[in-house]
Amino acid sequence: MLKQTYKIILIIFLFTSFALAKNITEVQVYNSKGEKIQSGFVLNNIKSKPGTTLSPRVLSSDIRRLYQTNEFINVETEFDEDAGVLKITVTRRPKLIEILVEGNEELDDEDIIDELDLVVDEPLDEAVMAADKHNIKKLYDDEGYYNADIFFNVEKTNDPEEVILRIVVDEKSSLQVDEVRFHGNTVFLDDDLADMINTKPSFWRYMFDTGFFNELIFDADQKLIKRQYKSRGYLDFKIEKVVKKDDGEYLELDIFITEGRPYIVGNVTISGNSIYSTADLEKLVTAKSGFTYSTLVEDADIDRMTTKYQNEGYLDLYCSAQLNPNPQTHIVDVNYRIVEGKPSKIRDIIITGNNDTKEYVIRRELAIQPDDKANKDLIDKSKKRLINMNYFEKVDLTAVDTEIEGYKDLQLKVEEKSTGQIGLGGGFSSADSFVGSIEFSQSNFDLYEGWPFIGGGQRFQSRAKFGSERQDLSIGWVDPWFMGKPLSLSTSFFMSERYYDEYDQEKLGYEVGLTKRLSKYPLWTIRHAHRLYQIELDMDDDVSKEMEDEETTDISSAYILTLRKDTRNSTRRPNEGGIMQFTSELQSIVIGSDNESGKFKVRWTTYNEAFEESVLKLHAEVNTLIGDDPIYDRYFGGGIGRVRGYDERELGPVDSNEDPLGGASFLLLSAELDVPFNKTFNGVWFVDAGNVWEDSYDFADLSDLSLTTGPGLRINLPIGVVELYYGKPVVDNSETEDDSGSFHFNMGYNF
């Protein structure tokens, strides 16, 4: 009986709905002036058309669709039930008919207009206008006018649907910081305070346009100084005043401060916690009563408690320190206040911005997946992995709420960068001939899905070197996720011809290897590889007996084992981290080689930020060879990566004719300082020390090292980077004693 009652009610409801539904007989479109206009564009973008039934849901969707066309800034609807007429009133975006620029003196009108994406005779788009304003501000920032103000004024005309954009620029002054002085400081020395801030005289200010004063950066610097004092417990610290003096070109700053006295920690309490006991959280707190207060300790405590919660899915947790200082006693009570929120899981990961890179290439790098606990540590690791792929300019990974309680979505937005490169390079020196090279590489290659061969997360490289003394060709391909597993397969094929003064050398072969991650982050890897090639040496008629005995046609088959750790924060221009690598190579008749020998290599490189964004690179490398040592397996010194300042093969043992024989041991120590002059030029100064010895493990006597040094210049052009280097021996321990120096250059083109 109850079910029949429900059916009767449902039938009555449906009958009433159909009875109340109104059919649309006509759609009329009006502009903001109340004038009736052609309705073709509107009708093509709505579903509420003549002959259909009026539906509030469909009409709401129609209005939203009209807004999405970006043609209208206002849409209103009205329905005449008696006549069945749907009236739609639209206000079109005003058309931009002219762009005017005024107030600019340092930059031309054309320079400013070139930054605009707004187009005359097109509808004015506020989003594009906001982006254009940002672009012009950045243009002035790049020229050192950090204080410039940009105003966009939209002016009406006689026609309400047409506007003029007037861009007003207040360039203000562009001052280079010449001196910064501190007054009243006793806790920190002047040099210590100067090292804390970015507003400081540039070493290159009299030569280049650098070191300009930026009010926003200076405000941040003042907050940074205050924070440094708070880290020492000086809660009453103040910057009393800043006196600025300028001569129209250079600026001097006098900063007057009042330090006060340091505060001592009183009571330390925790409130708001229910998931974890106070006793559990107190184990994470290092702020103790009786010790000097420090924001560093406070931040570390908050970070540990936040991490404990967020790694269990409490992403909405909020933890803050509430301070209750007593200015008379200089004692501060600290209360860590916690708002826990609720735990959550990951419902979905939404990826946008990957126009070239396949989605599965991105997803396989993520340390967190749908239905996993919303672990903040795994979210951060996922972001770092994507950045380290070097496929993206920007990576933004954010957890957002969903309509389902206890679940969050991860919104992953990426901005792709160019991953292909065409490189042109070359080098020559006072004693060596010119060698050119051409290279094509794609670090986001896709072999499996074909044209355009991009987006699969593989790496492809082909390179050719050519010159009067060499011809080289190599082709390599790497799949870092072979068969869908975190196992990297690398293959390469190579052939080369070298024409030395003493002999000609031909080589043809391949190398295939598998690399496995031993840990997720930092990255430890182990690589197993097999290399096989045939090599032929054809000696000249006038060589020594020692060199003549080296003539051969051999098969070289080697098993290679490499253990590597890479902690660089960037592969382009790292300023922290480094590389540690151990490599062993075994040749044996068991695997088809004509020789029985072993090679061992230890390599260490570290990068450290020095002054004014400069980077100090330190490198050490030790190599040795034991067992059979044909000349093609020996080490030769000289050239880039082999002691700059010497020509190729110039450093090391020689025969009775002073022709290079190579050696069984090689040592290289190198230091390189990279200093950015501005965004275009980077200066380089390097020091290399190294040598090649005849016998295995024969590099103990460091007095045998040759020492070279020299300058370099890196030019960052829109088409790529041009590198220029010159090195000259300072301590010459080469057998030939040729200290004339060497010049090198390299050029690359990105696409």
Side-chain angles (χ1 to χ4, degrees):
M1 182 65 182
L2 186 60
K3 291 184 178 179
Q4 291 178 346
T5 302
Y6 282 150
K7 290 181 180 179
I8 293 172
I9 293 174
L10 180 59
I11 292 171
I12 294 174
F13 174 75
L14 293 174
F15 177 79
T16 304
S17 299
F18 284 119
L20 294 176
K22 301 293 184 180
N23 289 332
I24 302 173
T25 60
E26 184 181 0
V27 176
Q28 298 177 354
V29 183
Y30 293 84
N31 62 19
S32 58
K33 302 176 185 178
E35 301 170 341
K36 191 173 181 180
I37 60 175
Q38 294 293 326
S39 59
F41 180 82
V42 173
L43 286 174
N44 288 335
N45 284 278
I46 64 175
K47 294 183 178 179
S48 301
K49 298 182 180 181
T52 64
T53 301
L54 180 68
S55 166
R57 182 182 60 80
V58 175
L59 185 59
S60 176
S61 176
D62 289 341
I63 294 173
R64 184 166 58 253
R65 193 177 299 109
L66 289 173
Y67 275 118
Q68 290 174 346
T69 65
N70 211 31
E71 287 287 328
F72 310 109
I73 59 174
N74 191 46
V75 178
E76 297 179 358
T77 61
E78 181 181 345
F79 185 65
D80 186 337
E81 295 184 1
D82 296 331
V85 177
L86 175 62
K87 179 181 177 181
I88 302 177
T89 302
V90 295
T91 302
R92 287 187 176 274
R93 290 186 178 276
K95 183 171 68 173
L96 180 62
I97 62 172
E98 188 176 7
I99 299 175
L100 303 175
V101 182
E102 61 183 45
N104 54 307
E105 295 182 0
E106 296 298 326
L107 297 179
D108 296 334
D109 291 2
E110 292 77 10
D111 295 331
I112 294 175
I113 292 176
D114 284 345
E115 298 295 321
L116 301 178
D117 287 328
L118 290 171
V119 179
V120 174
D121 291 332
E122 294 284 341
L124 181 67
D125 190 319
E126 287 80 2
V128 176
M129 185 168 62
D132 286 348
K133 183 177 180 180
H134 172 78
N135 292 339
I136 296 175
K137 183 67 173 74
K138 185 177 183 301
L139 178 65
Y140 270 95
D141 286 348
D142 292 342
E143 295 295 326
Y145 289 83
Y146 297 105
N147 301 319
D149 288 327
I150 314 297
F151 303 96
F152 275 31
N153 299 326
V154 179
E155 301 176 357
K156 297 180 180 179
T157 65
N158 294 331
D159 189 334
E161 293 191 351
E162 294 181 346
V163 294
I164 294 173
L165 175 61
R166 189 180 301 274
I167 302 175
V168 181
V169 181
D170 183 2
E171 294 177 334
K172 298 182 180 178
S173 59
S174 176
L175 300 172
Q176 289 177 289
V177 179
D178 194 45
E179 192 168 355
V180 179
R181 294 179 288 265
F182 298 93
H183 306 273
N185 52 302
T186 60
V187 178
F188 294 101
L189 299 175
D190 289 358
D191 289 344
D192 294 333
L193 291 174
D195 289 340
M196 295 176 190
I197 62 177
N198 293 302
T199 303
K200 63 185 71 174
S202 170
F203 180 81
W204 311 102
R205 62 188 180 279
Y206 300 120
M207 300 172 58
F208 300 98
D209 291 337
T210 185
F212 289 98
F213 178 74
N214 185 330
E215 192 71 52
L216 294 177
I217 293 178
F218 184 58
D219 288 343
D221 287 339
Q222 294 178 69
K223 294 177 182 177
L224 183 58
I225 293 174
K226 183 176 182 179
R227 183 163 183 80
Q228 290 295 326
Y229 268 92
K230 288 183 69 176
S231 72
R232 299 283 186 95
Y234 289 82
L235 299 181
D236 297 330
F237 170 83
K238 291 181 181 179
I239 294 180
E240 297 291 348
K241 64 177 180 178
V242 177
V243 178
K244 301 176 182 178
K245 302 175 184 178
D246 73 84
D247 60 4
E249 185 175 2
Y250 294 101
L251 174 68
E252 296 181 2
L253 297 170
D254 286 278
I255 303 174
F256 295 85
I257 64 179
T258 299
E259 295 177 328
R261 289 171 50 193
Y263 278 70
I264 303 299
V265 177
N267 295 322
V268 180
T269 56
I270 301 173
S271 63
N273 56 302
S274 61
I275 305 301
Y276 297 107
S277 68
T278 300
D280 286 340
L281 295 178
E282 283 177 342
K283 296 177 183 178
L284 305 175
V285 175
T286 57
K288 303 297 181 183
S289 179
F291 286 80
T292 302
Y293 169 81
S294 172
T295 52
L296 299 179
V297 175
E298 174 190 301
D299 291 344
D301 290 346
I302 291 174
D303 183 64
R304 281 189 289 270
M305 286 187 283
T306 300
T307 300
K308 185 176 182 66
Y309 273 93
Q310 291 189 338
N311 285 352
E312 293 299 322
Y314 289 85
L315 296 185
D316 295 328
L317 172 108
Y318 177 74
C319 181
S320 62
Q322 295 182 332
L323 306 181
N324 184 19
N326 188 323
Q328 283 73 41
T329 62
H330 283 83
I331 294 177
V332 57
D333 294 333
V334 181
N335 173 246
Y336 292 107
R337 184 173 179 272
I338 295 175
V339 180
E340 293 177 329
K342 295 182 179 180
S344 55
K345 286 186 173 183
I346 301 301
R347 183 184 70 170
D348 195 8
I349 301 175
I350 303 166
I351 303 174
T352 58
N354 55 315
N355 299 320
D356 293 325
T357 307
K358 308 296 192 300
E359 187 167 308
Y360 70 84
V361 174
I362 296 175
R363 289 189 180 275
R364 70 192 184 189
E365 294 294 330
L366 300 178
I368 191 168
Q369 298 294 333
D371 211 37
D372 286 350
K373 186 187 301 180
N375 187 310
K376 183 64 163 55
D377 183 53
L378 296 182
I379 294 174
D380 291 341
K381 286 182 178 179
S382 297
K383 182 176 180 178
K384 289 179 181 179
R385 287 185 185 178
L386 294 176
I387 292 173
N388 289 338
M389 292 174 74
N390 207 27
Y391 294 168
F392 311 110
E393 292 284 355
K394 295 180 182 178
V395 176
D396 183 22
L397 187 57
T398 308
V400 297
D401 293 332
T402 69
E403 68 277 8
I404 303 176
E405 185 177 358
Y407 279 88
K408 290 184 180 292
D409 285 342
L410 284 181
Q411 288 187 346
L412 173 57
K413 299 179 181 179
V414 298
E415 182 180 322
E416 293 182 315
K417 64 168 66 173
S418 298
T419 54
Q421 184 181 69
I422 296 176
L424 300 173
F428 60 89
S429 66
S430 56
D432 197 11
S433 60
F434 175 84
V435 177
S437 66
I438 182 170
E439 175 183 335
F440 170 81
S441 65
Q442 174 56 259
S443 60
N444 193 7
F445 190 70
D446 192 345
L447 177 65
Y448 303 128
E449 296 191 18
W451 182 259
F453 299 103
I454 188 172
Q458 305 150 30
R459 296 189 296 275
F460 174 82
Q461 181 186 56
S462 60
R463 185 173 186 178
K465 289 185 178 181
F466 49 87
S468 59
E469 298 184 0
R470 67 184 305 166
Q471 307 286 336
D472 295 333
L473 176 64
S474 63
I475 299 175
W477 172 78
V478 179
D479 184 354
W481 283 78
F482 182 55
M483 300 179 67
K485 298 180 180 180
L487 186 67
S488 177
L489 171 66
S490 61
T491 60
S492 64
F493 301 89
F494 52 87
M495 62 180 182
S496 67
E497 296 181 6
R498 299 295 302 272
Y499 313 116
Y500 299 114
D501 292 338
E502 306 80 28
Y503 59 89
D504 296 341
Q505 173 181 295
E506 295 184 7
K507 186 188 293 186
L508 175 65
Y510 73 88
E511 181 174 315
V512 60
L514 285 173
T515 303
K516 180 176 176 58
R517 297 177 183 176
L518 296 182
S519 60
K520 294 182 178 179
Y521 202 89
L523 189 61
W524 272 104
T525 59
I526 186 169
R527 181 174 188 264
H528 305 263
H530 177 246
R531 184 179 63 235
L532 177 70
Y533 61 83
Q534 176 179 300
I535 186 167
E536 181 178 349
L537 303 183
D538 184 13
M539 297 296 167
D540 293 346
D541 295 335
D542 57 350
V543 297
S544 66
K545 181 65 169 60
E546 303 156 277
M547 192 72 70
E548 184 180 349
D549 291 342
E550 297 290 343
E551 184 166 292
T552 185
T553 298
D554 282 349
I555 296 294
S556 175
S557 178
Y559 170 73
I560 305 166
L561 179 66
T562 302
L563 184 64
R564 175 185 171 97
K565 180 182 181 181
D566 189 344
T567 59
R568 293 174 297 172
N569 63 345
S570 170
T571 56
R572 294 293 179 92
R573 190 176 183 267
N575 58 11
E576 65 178 58
I579 298 173
M580 184 179 297
Q581 180 172 310
F582 306 90
T583 303
S584 62
E585 177 182 319
L586 174 67
Q587 293 190 50
S588 173
I589 57 175
V590 176
I591 55 176
S593 181
D594 289 332
N595 301 305
E596 293 276 354
S597 66
K599 278 187 174 184
F600 303 95
K601 174 180 179 179
V602 179
R603 175 190 177 194
W604 172 83
T605 307
T606 183
Y607 301 86
N608 298 280
E609 188 169 358
F611 62 92
E612 293 200 7
E613 298 184 355
S614 60
V615 177
L616 177 63
K617 173 186 174 183
L618 302 176
H619 176 79
E621 184 177 327
V622 179
N623 300 263
T624 194
L625 167 66
I626 58 175
D628 296 338
D629 60 344
I631 193 171
Y632 57 81
D633 268 345
R634 296 176 199 155
Y635 303 107
F636 294 85
I640 296 177
R642 285 290 183 269
V643 185
R644 286 166 288 190
Y646 289 101
D647 297 336
E648 185 181 359
R649 299 165 60 90
E650 187 178 0
L651 196 59
V654 297
D655 63 7
S656 56
N657 292 340
E658 294 193 350
D659 294 329
L661 279 173
S665 299
F666 169 63
L667 173 66
L668 173 65
L669 304 173
S670 179
E672 180 178 290
L673 182 65
D674 183 305
V675 181
F677 296 150
N678 52 36
K679 292 188 176 182
T680 303
F681 296 96
N682 285 43
V684 176
W685 194 273
F686 67 85
V687 177
D688 286 350
N691 209 338
V692 178
W693 291 266
E694 182 177 357
D695 298 325
S696 305
Y697 306 106
D698 196 21
F699 33 64
D701 190 355
L702 298 183
S703 63
D704 291 340
L705 294 178
S706 290
L707 181 68
T708 66
T709 187
L713 183 66
R714 292 192 177 105
I715 307 174
N716 304 299
L717 300 176
I719 62 171
V721 179
V722 177
E723 297 178 310
L724 305 161
Y725 302 100
Y726 176 77
K728 184 175 177 62
V730 176
V731 177
D732 185 11
N733 280 316
S734 66
E735 297 289 341
T736 58
E737 297 185 355
D738 179 10
D739 59 356
S740 57
S742 179
F743 176 75
H744 310 274
F745 80 89
N746 190 66
M747 178 175 63
Y749 172 70
N750 293 328
F751 66 93

